[in-house]
Amino acid sequence: MDTMTNGDQEEEAAHEHEHEHEDVLAKIVANQEKILANQKKIEGNQKKLEQVVANQKSILANQKKIETNQKKLDAVIANQKSILANQKKILAKK
């Protein structure tokens, strides 16, 4: 009996449509899982980026301290040169 009744054809079409619907839903779920995994990666990368920014701010602060200390060191060297010049003048007078 290869002939199907109209009801049988409708039932088979309904089952086929149901399977197609299940396949679409399975693809949607798979895509949602991929999206969630990507969101977690993005969150992890965002945390890493925030740490990089914090490190850069720390480096910048340290560079400013180094520049300040270099200026202080330059002033000390200038003072030492001045003291040395004055000492030479005193020795020359003797």
Side-chain angles (χ1 to χ4, degrees):
M1 295 216 317
D2 289 339
T3 59
M4 297 175 64
T5 66
N6 194 24
D8 290 341
Q9 289 174 343
E10 288 177 6
E11 186 176 337
E12 185 175 323
H15 282 301
E16 187 175 319
H17 181 72
E18 186 178 322
H19 286 299
E20 289 173 1
H21 185 67
E22 289 171 356
D23 289 345
V24 169
L25 288 178
K27 288 177 183 177
I28 289 171
V29 169
N31 285 338
Q32 287 174 329
E33 288 172 348
K34 288 177 185 176
I35 289 169
L36 181 59
N38 286 338
Q39 286 173 330
K40 287 181 180 179
K41 288 178 185 177
I42 289 169
E43 288 173 6
N45 288 340
Q46 182 65 35
K47 288 178 184 176
K48 290 176 184 176
L49 183 58
E50 288 170 1
Q51 186 60 51
V52 167
V53 170
N55 288 342
Q56 288 173 329
K57 287 180 180 178
S58 176
I59 289 168
L60 181 60
N62 288 337
Q63 285 174 331
K64 288 180 179 179
K65 289 177 185 176
I66 289 169
E67 288 173 7
T68 299
N69 288 339
Q70 185 63 49
K71 288 177 185 176
K72 290 177 183 178
L73 183 58
D74 291 344
V76 167
I77 290 170
N79 286 338
Q80 288 175 332
K81 286 180 179 178
S82 176
I83 290 168
L84 183 59
N86 288 337
Q87 288 172 335
K88 285 182 180 178
K89 287 178 187 176
I90 291 170
L91 288 175
K93 289 181 181 179
K94 289 188 177 182

